[in-house]
Amino acid sequence: MRRILLGIILAALIGGLGAGWVAAKHHPAQEKVTIVGSTALQPLAEAVAARYRQGQPTTNITVQGGGSGTGLSQVQAGAVNIGSADIFASQQDGINAHKLRDHIVAVSGIAPIVNPKLGVKNLTMTQLRQIFTGQITNWRQVGGPDLPITVINRANGSGTRVAFEQTVLTKSDHAVQAQEQDSNGTVKEIVTNTPGAISYISFAYLNKTVQPLKINGVAPTASNVTTNRWPLWSYEHLYTQRQPSWATQQFIKYMQSGKVQNGLVKEANYVSIHEMKVTKSATGQVSERK
């Protein structure tokens, strides 16, 4: 009788272990991917992450802003899986680009914006430079109303600021002392509510609450970005450690896929990496894509 009871107990234990193994097989552990950095890339990264989770429910992806500088420093420190940035790692002080791996996932157009009621819709590149260096201080100097210009700049560490100043300012220029903000959303809100304000944001944040400006008569469109006819743009990078996790690699591969590039990337008002006809180096040099 005792042997029979021991046999029943042993069978139950083995059965329980087997059931547990089957359950574990059908419900694998969650894999976490954390992305921190660029607010310019944040809307797209969030949209792609939401779509990716539908097909990969075991991967938990968290997307946060904070700016390109924050993203690069966090991934270098190993605190996050991915540091998103609008700039090359080599452009950021304190970052050893050789220790990181670069994955370009989109191109972000950048547009100067003003309040829609201002009435100004076009500036020359020279006028734009003179506004952001403090040489032009009133809108009447560029054909607008008699209204002081309020410059809203991006904060240091912003990849969008680096790309903007690299294109608009010369090496000897110094940006005018101005209010600084670290996110596209905050900048847009300030310009929306300040009649004489001017700043710049990524295409993804454009809507009817602000007026994007043409430069030298050229409109800020994705098509113009692909040829550099619209020169204000930056790559969107996902930086990882040299040996990223499998889950991290799979997410980046998905983001670079034709399905995402031709779908969510365009829908979110970014430019597909597959459609670019030019390339840009970390120093801002543009050349024909081969």
Side-chain angles (χ1 to χ4, degrees):
M1 184 67 180
R2 187 176 180 182
R3 289 182 179 178
I4 294 173
L5 287 174
L6 287 172
I8 292 172
I9 293 170
L10 183 60
L13 286 170
I14 293 172
L17 288 171
W21 179 83
V22 171
K25 185 178 180 181
H26 284 84
H27 300 282
Q30 284 271 326
E31 296 189 75
K32 189 173 183 180
V33 177
T34 304
I35 306 170
V36 172
S38 165
T39 62
L41 183 58
Q42 190 173 353
L44 177 60
E46 289 174 342
V48 176
R51 184 73 58 84
Y52 186 73
R53 280 193 294 264
Q54 293 176 9
Q56 301 290 336
T58 60
T59 303
N60 180 23
I61 303 172
T62 303
V63 182
Q64 299 174 0
S68 296
T70 297
L72 289 168
S73 62
Q74 290 283 299
V75 73
Q76 178 171 266
V80 299
N81 302 100
I82 298 173
S84 56
D86 315 324
I87 55 175
F88 289 89
S90 60
Q91 294 176 279
Q92 182 68 29
D93 292 340
I95 300 298
N96 186 342
H98 298 294
K99 292 185 177 181
L100 300 177
R101 188 173 168 188
D102 185 12
H103 314 265
I104 296 176
V105 295
V107 171
S108 180
I110 302 167
I113 56 169
V114 295
N115 188 287
K117 297 179 181 178
L118 183 67
V120 175
K121 296 183 178 181
N122 180 74
L123 291 174
T124 66
M125 185 63 83
T126 298
Q127 289 172 332
L128 188 62
R129 180 176 64 82
Q130 290 176 334
I131 286 172
F132 276 87
T133 55
Q135 298 172 64
I136 293 178
T137 59
N138 193 293
W139 286 109
R140 66 182 175 184
Q141 294 173 263
V142 292
D146 184 4
L147 183 68
I149 295 175
T150 301
V151 174
I152 310 297
N153 212 340
R154 301 301 298 276
N156 283 320
S158 162
T160 305
R161 176 170 177 168
V162 171
F164 180 86
E165 293 186 347
Q166 190 178 60
T167 304
V168 176
L169 307 187
T170 67
K171 291 183 179 180
S172 60
D173 285 333
H174 296 283
V176 65
Q177 290 291 325
Q179 181 183 164
E180 295 183 354
Q181 296 294 333
D182 62 0
S183 77
N184 283 272
T186 303
V187 164
K188 183 173 70 173
E189 184 177 353
I190 293 173
V191 173
T192 299
N193 295 293
T194 308
I198 183 172
S199 192
Y200 47 93
I201 59 175
S202 299
F203 283 8
Y205 287 82
L206 291 174
N207 60 25
K208 293 181 179 180
T209 65
V210 292
Q211 172 66 57
L213 297 175
K214 294 180 179 179
I215 300 177
N216 296 332
V218 177
T221 65
S223 177
N224 285 333
V225 166
T226 64
T227 61
N228 200 52
R229 189 162 180 252
W230 181 264
L232 280 173
W233 58 273
S234 64
Y235 288 117
E236 293 298 339
H237 309 259
L238 294 184
Y239 277 98
T240 65
Q241 295 280 329
R242 296 299 300 176
Q243 297 296 329
S245 70
W246 182 87
T248 299
Q249 292 180 63
Q250 291 304 303
F251 175 71
I252 293 173
K253 183 178 179 180
Y254 176 74
M255 200 164 181
Q256 293 174 325
S257 70
K259 180 180 178 180
V260 172
Q261 291 294 314
N262 294 323
L264 286 174
V265 167
K266 292 182 179 180
E267 291 169 18
N269 212 16
Y270 295 79
V271 182
S272 167
I273 55 175
H274 301 159
E275 294 188 354
M276 292 299 293
K277 297 176 176 62
V278 295
T279 61
K280 183 184 287 188
S281 68
T283 59
Q285 184 173 354
V286 176
S287 57
E288 187 176 350
R289 184 179 179 183
K290 297 179 181 179

